[in-house]
Amino acid sequence: MSLNWKYQESFAGRHIGPETPEVKQMLSTLGVTSLDAFIESAVPPAIRSQEPLRLPAGRGENEVLAQLEAIAAKNQVFRSFIGMGYHDTHVPNVILRNIFQNPGWYTQYTPYQAEIAQGRLEALLNFQTMVTDLTGMEVANASLLDEGTAAAEAMALALHAKGDGTGAFFVSDACHPQTVDVVRTRATPLGVEVVVGDHRTVDLSAKKFFGALVQYPATDGVVHDYRAFGEKVHAAGGLFVVAADLLGLTLLTPPGEFGADAVVGSAQRFGVPLGYGGPHAAFFATKHAYTRVMPGRLIGVSEDAQGRPALRMALQTREQHIRREKATSNICTAQVLLAVMAGMYAVYHGPEGLKAIAERVHGLTVVLSRGLAKLGFKPKYDQFFDTLRVELTPPQVRGVLAAAEAAKMNFRRIDEKTLGLALDETTRPSDVQDILAAFIQGANKSASPVNLDEVAEGLESPLAPELRRTSAYLTHPVFNRYHSETEMLRYVRRLEAKDLSLTHSMIPLGSCTMKLNATAEMIPVTWPQFSKLHPFAPTSQAAGYKVVFEQLENALSQVTGFAGCSLQPNAGSQGEYAGLLVIRAYHQARGQGHRDVCLIPSSAHGTNPASAVMAGYRVVVTKCDENGNIDLDDLRAKADEHKDKLAALMVTYPSTHGVFEEEIKEICSIIHERGGQVYMDGANLNAQVGLTAPGLVGADVCHINLHKTFCIPHGGGGPGMGPICVASHLVKFLPGHPVIQTGGAEAIGAISAAPWGSASILLISWMYVQMMGGEGLTQATKMAILNANYVAERLQPHYPVLYRGKRGRVAHECIVDLRPLKKTAGVEVEDVAKRLMDYGFHAPTVSFPVAGTLMIEPTESESKAELDRFCDAMIAIRQEIRDVEEGRAPKDNNVLKNAPHTARTLTAPEWNRPYTREQAVFPTPWVRDNKFWPSVGRLNNVLGDRKLVCSCPPIEDYDTPSQKVA
């Protein structure tokens, strides 16, 4: 027996589903003899790269994890008392293990198919209820990207509600600096003037102010009474927006009780790790009057077909893929996984537990304040929650900071004479003692150590009575039932069991690339060396992160064929926006700032026109031909018509119709010849990696959905990351940041609140690239295209494939046409989507980009057996439709119209349906062996939109059928 002493396990073989014998069978089905020959027929030769990716060879999981451990050791985890909207926290272990580290939660898709997403929807409803209760507002959304983004969205809502398209927005200079910068970035292309100043002295009659933003508590810790200022804002005709601290609101008067129209902030300190900036769930709460223009998603209560309460995403027509250029926001994503964690944190601790945590943090801050005063450093403000402002001499500031650094502590340097100190849930009395010691040492005080017990004697809150909360919160039973770990564990598991995820079956969503999120990629996210770093800690403490950032930026630049990269945008929508602002800055820098027309094909992703409008562009839609390609004649005509003002073209490649357009290079040339830039939407990059590249075909900037092509999991609708890569002439305009220097020499303003967006989940993509290597990444692309074509080939005899390339191939996804079935059988695309649930599958993308169709993307991670199981289900459903067409089943009472079928329906005493119970719930043998049960029947969407219930209804509503939802 010969021994292979050089053997190294290939991760690519674990990531890619089909094995060699299966690949041969699939190729045979497609009539080709080799994978390379197939790729030659699928990808146009004119766009093919002639060089392999210049990336290191892939390595095994354990080797790469060991390498990352060594990189992680370069980070230094200091105790951070910086604050500024970011606080260390304890992630309850039952939440850490059973949600954050659980693929049953992090591999779910956005809950568009509510019948198989009831667990996540309930968790998000808990989050909304938590936010409305703590803020004192009437309605809250299901999360946004970060606090800065939420504040910018509030500015946009105020402009929509109170502005006439112009005007000024006031921002208090006591807001966090990153929030101010994100708001300013968002306001500038909209023509909105941002006025930053002191809310106590500003003259709101000097300009037409449509709104104002304040921080509560302020960034330096003081708790202002904003009642009078709110009245001034209303008197001026504006909306009053408050950026608030959720934990502080357990003790402080909620903004809804002093006149706020909208309340925004971050839920990070509710059990979500710092992660060097993210991902974290922001929140947005407002009044019922603004529900239909509120950004983000809204979870509401409706009924299912049996009249029982059921949850869904309400007002889904607000989603940007539907509203397009009429959208008031480009945010079509959320931070679902993190919102679930924050909501569960509130469920686990309950109102009393949260109050106890807040009182402890506040109490330690009072003790610290007294201790500093005893040393002669009395903080400036008496009204505070968890943050103190301490004013010193410049030498004292330098000395205290040096002493803190020596003790591995980070304080906030507000200016050369001022320090900020923010305490949190993890702070202990010993930490307070160490802080006081740093002041003694750093200021050359000869004082003895402070005795905390003496300082704390007779301890009471210094908060004025009008600032103290008296109203109840979190009174719903869900926040008062699950405080033991046993009960909490069972509650989390009950909800998980209601949701279909990648742990059950493939999720074949076109454009969404629901591929493997390997365990090895996920493990480092919770390592303390990465998860416990404050985003504004000195960069010298984040040397490990720097290595990861630089290597990932280089890899993404190689993949896209571009010269530079910004990792800051923390969603694909943010990447689109950042890319367009970079193009805008480029035109302005060369004296062409008047260019404001953005051409967008009718096939584009819906966030494209929404992003363009937000970036200050006028959208001009260009036609597509009958094959789904961009109509070159129409594009050329529109480009000529607007050539003097042409700023950009937004194009998705391969197209949203799932086709490699042969003329993409000519398309780019048409735009460049008329002075414009080409923005490529990277949603479909999974069909390009290693075979072609945006830079190669002529684009100038591209965003990358790392939660698609580079394996960050969807998390039930977030988190995501949307870095942008740009050509050399655009590098100097990459996004900057007001706290930590990033970006180019002429950087645009901050896009996200943190310098590198949701930094901790970049580790997932770094791991993926390192384990796959250039060859593995290229092989993954080939297999993604092969899998899609195999599915298209198998389904073609039963459901026509709507678009194909010139050689008869699709790209990495295909669109099957169900529209004829409405005429022949009365069957809608929704009926097929719901029936797939009975077969154990999530539906493909429904009615996008073409109404009445399904867009299917199998990804490279699914095996041939799983692809066949899905195809067999679709074919079996086609036979069920044929039964209707040929009169063997009625049009209005059949397995499709009544789908999905629940266990409750199956076990009901009466069965008055013209098909058997077995046909309903066990349509194939494999379903009998591994049944996933939808927990509710088909939802009444119209009722859910007409009668919104956006917070937890009485618990008894979940136990008995309801004939009325109020």
Side-chain angles (χ1 to χ4, degrees):
M1 179 177 68
S2 61
L3 300 178
N4 181 359
W5 61 279
K6 290 186 177 181
Y7 171 76
Q8 180 177 334
E9 187 176 59
S10 166
F11 171 76
R14 302 290 189 191
H15 174 82
I16 296 171
E19 298 184 0
T20 301
E22 296 177 322
V23 172
K24 290 181 179 178
Q25 293 170 16
M26 295 161 69
L27 291 170
S28 176
T29 299
L30 292 168
V32 289
T33 57
S34 72
L35 183 59
D36 286 340
F38 163 72
I39 291 299
E40 288 294 331
S41 71
V43 183
I47 68 164
R48 284 292 303 276
S49 174
Q50 301 305 310
E51 299 291 334
L53 286 174
R54 295 197 302 273
L55 293 174
R59 289 162 295 148
E61 298 178 20
N62 295 323
E63 183 181 352
V64 178
L65 281 170
Q67 179 190 356
L68 190 56
E69 278 191 83
I71 293 173
K74 298 177 184 291
N75 289 333
Q76 301 177 66
V77 183
F78 282 24
R79 290 170 289 173
S80 283
F81 304 100
I82 297 170
M84 299 175 70
Y86 298 94
H87 306 268
D88 203 0
T89 182
H90 292 304
V91 185
N93 290 317
V94 66
I95 295 175
L96 177 70
R97 172 64 64 87
N98 295 289
I99 296 179
F100 197 29
Q101 297 175 337
N102 181 358
W105 281 96
Y106 65 67
T107 67
Q108 302 157 337
Y109 182 59
T110 306
Y112 291 119
Q113 300 296 335
E115 295 83 356
I116 50 176
Q118 288 295 296
R120 185 169 7 128
L121 289 165
E122 181 173 332
L124 291 174
L125 193 69
N126 292 344
F127 175 83
Q128 290 180 181
T129 304
M130 173 191 79
V131 171
T132 55
D133 278 13
L134 291 175
T135 60
M137 301 303 290
E138 295 172 342
V139 60
N141 71 11
S143 76
L144 288 176
L145 299 174
D146 56 41
E147 183 169 338
T149 301
E153 293 288 345
M155 180 272 296
L157 183 146
L159 177 64
H160 179 83
K162 295 293 184 178
D164 56 2
T166 59
F169 187 71
F170 175 80
V171 178
S172 169
D173 56 12
C175 289
H176 298 316
Q178 70 273 16
T179 299
V180 177
D181 204 53
V182 172
V183 171
R184 186 180 282 121
T185 300
R186 186 74 67 87
T188 300
L190 299 178
V192 170
E193 178 185 2
V194 174
V195 177
V196 180
D198 189 333
H199 77 276
R200 294 165 296 187
T201 59
V202 64
D203 179 6
L204 294 180
S205 66
K207 297 178 181 291
K208 179 177 171 26
F209 285 99
F210 59 81
L213 171 70
V214 297
Q215 193 87 44
Y216 182 68
T219 189
D220 62 1
V222 60
V223 181
H224 290 292
D225 184 346
Y226 287 117
R227 286 176 175 83
F229 179 68
E231 292 173 358
K232 286 174 59 179
V233 174
H234 290 148
L239 292 191
F240 180 37
V241 182
V242 179
D245 181 289
L246 273 188
L247 188 63
L249 295 183
T250 63
L251 303 182
L252 300 173
T253 301
E257 294 179 15
F258 58 73
D261 297 295
V263 185
V264 301
S266 172
Q268 177 268 314
R269 69 188 312 178
F270 274 34
V272 180
L274 283 165
Y276 203 46
H280 308 140
F283 62 85
F284 193 113
T286 187
K287 297 178 177 178
H288 283 305
Y290 306 115
T291 298
R292 293 179 181 272
V293 292
M294 180 175 64
R297 292 172 176 150
L298 185 67
I299 309 307
V301 182
S302 183
E303 291 180 356
D304 73 359
Q306 287 72 49
R308 294 184 176 275
L311 307 177
R312 62 182 287 272
M313 266 189 357
L315 304 174
Q316 283 186 205
T317 53
R318 301 182 317 157
E319 288 286 281
Q320 280 66 18
H321 67 273
I322 297 170
R323 298 194 70 191
R324 304 176 69 80
E325 67 271 15
K326 295 180 181 179
T328 56
S329 161
N330 75 333
I331 298 300
C332 69
T333 190
Q335 298 282 26
V336 171
L337 183 67
L338 300 315
V340 167
M341 289 178 65
M344 288 299 186
Y345 180 91
V347 168
Y348 192 43
H349 287 296
E352 293 305 317
L354 291 181
K355 185 177 181 181
I357 293 169
E359 286 181 338
R360 187 175 178 283
V361 173
H362 183 48
L364 283 172
T365 311
V366 175
V367 170
L368 176 59
S369 176
R370 289 184 175 187
L372 289 168
K374 186 173 182 180
L375 295 175
F377 305 117
K378 186 179 187 305
K380 182 173 182 179
Y381 299 114
D382 294 325
Q383 305 298 306
F384 55 80
F385 166 58
D386 65 354
T387 301
L388 303 175
R389 179 186 181 112
V390 186
E391 297 186 343
L392 309 165
T393 65
Q396 288 176 328
V397 166
R398 293 192 293 270
V400 171
L401 287 174
E405 182 180 6
K408 293 193 173 182
M409 296 187 293
N410 292 322
F411 300 162
R412 179 185 177 188
R413 181 173 182 167
I414 296 176
D415 57 43
E416 64 177 9
K417 296 182 180 180
T418 313
L419 294 178
L421 301 167
L423 307 191
D424 57 52
E425 178 189 8
T426 69
T427 306
R428 296 288 179 262
S430 58
D431 297 316
V432 174
Q433 199 78 66
D434 291 344
I435 294 170
L436 293 171
F439 273 80
I440 293 173
Q441 179 183 345
N444 294 317
K445 284 278 185 179
S446 58
S448 301
V450 175
N451 186 314
L452 295 190
D453 290 330
E454 291 179 2
V455 170
E457 190 173 342
L459 191 68
E460 290 185 0
S461 172
L463 287 170
E466 61 270 19
L467 296 176
R468 298 183 187 181
R469 181 168 196 142
T470 58
S471 54
Y473 51 88
L474 304 186
T475 58
H476 190 274
V478 75
F479 298 106
N480 295 278
R481 283 188 173 181
Y482 308 112
H483 300 160
S484 75
E485 182 166 336
T486 303
E487 287 298 318
M488 185 66 182
L489 174 64
R490 290 170 182 162
Y491 179 59
V492 169
R493 288 293 187 176
R494 278 202 302 275
L495 296 192
E496 179 191 344
K498 295 180 179 182
D499 279 27
L500 188 143
S501 69
L502 282 174
T503 64
H504 297 97
S505 57
M506 70 180 288
I507 300 179
L509 286 149
S511 185
C512 293
T513 319
M514 299 290 290
K515 62 206 280 184
L516 172 71
N517 313 123
T519 306
E521 296 158 8
M522 302 302 297
I523 285 174
V525 174
T526 53
W527 287 354
Q529 298 95 326
F530 290 116
S531 68
K532 293 183 72 65
L533 261 68
H534 192 287
F536 302 146
T539 54
S540 59
Q541 296 170 21
Y545 262 118
K546 182 181 179 183
V547 171
V548 171
F549 295 159
E550 289 178 349
Q551 292 183 357
L552 184 57
E553 286 174 356
N554 176 68
L556 297 180
S557 295
Q558 291 289 332
V559 164
T560 57
F562 284 133
C565 177
S566 170
L567 300 174
Q568 188 179 124
N570 56 359
S573 55
Q574 297 287 76
E576 291 180 17
Y577 182 60
L580 291 173
L581 288 189
V582 164
I583 290 174
R584 184 175 182 272
Y586 164 74
H587 286 311
Q588 290 176 333
R590 63 194 188 102
Q592 296 284 305
H594 62 277
R595 291 184 174 270
D596 65 350
V597 170
C598 184
L599 302 182
I600 301 180
S602 59
S603 64
H605 283 95
T607 52
N608 288 177
S611 296
V613 171
M614 282 179 53
Y617 294 109
R618 291 186 293 127
V619 172
V620 174
V621 177
T622 67
K623 298 177 183 177
C624 287
D625 63 24
E626 60 183 12
N627 296 315
N629 298 314
I630 293 174
D631 184 322
L632 284 183
D633 291 337
D634 186 63
L635 177 71
R636 191 175 286 107
K638 297 281 176 59
D640 281 335
E641 179 184 353
H642 301 285
K643 63 181 180 181
D644 294 334
K645 293 192 174 183
L646 179 61
L649 166 74
M650 297 186 80
V651 60
T652 302
Y653 200 76
S655 74
T656 310
H657 291 149
V659 175
F660 283 105
E661 299 195 43
E662 303 265 351
E663 295 82 8
I664 185 64
K665 288 188 174 182
E666 183 178 355
I667 288 169
C668 293
S669 295
I670 289 171
I671 303 304
H672 289 147
E673 289 166 3
R674 291 154 181 82
Q677 296 282 284
V678 176
Y679 169 92
M680 183 169 285
D681 185 315
N684 294 340
L685 194 67
N686 206 46
Q688 294 191 54
V689 178
L691 300 182
T692 185
L696 178 66
V697 301
D700 300 288
V701 56
C702 173
H703 91 264
I704 305 169
N705 295 91
L706 294 187
H707 50 287
K708 296 182 180 180
T709 302
F710 290 91
C711 291
I712 291 176
H714 281 64
M721 283 290 277
I724 58 170
C725 293
V726 299
S728 57
H729 62 284
L730 298 178
V731 169
K732 63 183 177 180
F733 304 109
L734 289 173
H737 197 274
V739 181
I740 303 292
Q741 183 175 355
T742 63
E746 299 178 38
I748 62 172
I751 299 296
S752 304
W756 288 277
S758 297
S760 66
I761 57 174
L762 293 172
L763 300 168
I764 300 168
S765 298
W766 183 90
M767 284 289 299
Y768 174 64
V769 170
Q770 295 293 322
M771 292 189 295
M772 292 292 281
E775 186 176 340
L777 291 173
T778 305
Q779 185 72 3
T781 306
K782 293 178 180 179
M783 290 306 303
I785 299 171
L786 175 62
N787 281 1
N789 278 272
Y790 177 73
V791 169
E793 189 71 17
R794 283 213 59 197
L795 294 183
Q796 175 67 50
H798 310 278
Y799 304 92
V801 174
L802 196 54
Y803 300 115
R804 292 180 182 269
K806 290 184 177 179
R807 295 168 180 79
R809 305 296 190 192
V810 298
H812 63 309
E813 60 193 6
C814 61
I815 298 174
V816 296
D817 194 357
L818 275 64
R819 291 174 295 183
L821 302 179
K822 184 174 182 178
K823 295 179 180 179
T824 61
V827 171
E828 306 272 1
V829 65
E830 183 183 27
D831 298 325
V832 175
K834 303 308 179 187
R835 182 57 175 158
L836 274 168
M837 297 176 189
D838 290 329
Y839 284 80
F841 286 106
H842 194 292
T845 303
V846 174
S847 289
F848 177 79
V850 180
T853 67
L854 292 176
M855 182 161 61
I856 304 167
E857 182 178 355
T859 84
E860 71 273 15
S861 295
E862 299 298 343
S863 66
K864 178 179 180 294
E866 185 72 357
L867 300 181
D868 283 334
R869 196 165 72 86
F870 171 74
C871 290
D872 289 345
M874 288 290 292
I875 293 168
I877 291 172
R878 183 64 184 89
Q879 181 57 49
E880 293 172 347
I881 298 171
R882 194 168 289 113
D883 288 341
V884 177
E885 291 173 327
E886 297 175 359
R888 291 185 295 275
K891 281 192 173 185
D892 59 349
N893 186 17
N894 54 63
V895 287
L896 289 104
K897 291 296 181 182
N898 294 328
H901 297 83
T902 67
R904 189 186 295 270
T905 302
L906 177 73
T907 56
E910 296 183 2
W911 183 264
N912 299 318
R913 303 188 180 189
Y915 50 90
T916 68
R917 298 177 196 248
E918 185 172 22
Q919 286 174 318
V921 300
F922 298 126
T924 57
W926 72 75
V927 176
R928 181 179 291 278
D929 294 337
N930 189 25
K931 178 67 178 177
F932 178 86
W933 291 98
S935 55
V936 297
R938 193 178 303 197
L939 265 68
N940 185 331
N941 293 332
V942 174
L943 175 64
D945 284 348
R946 191 174 68 245
K947 296 185 177 181
L948 281 175
V949 177
C950 308
S951 58
C952 295
I955 198 72
E956 55 269 15
D957 282 2
Y958 288 95
D959 300 325
T960 57
S962 169
Q963 299 305 316
K964 181 179 180 182
V965 177

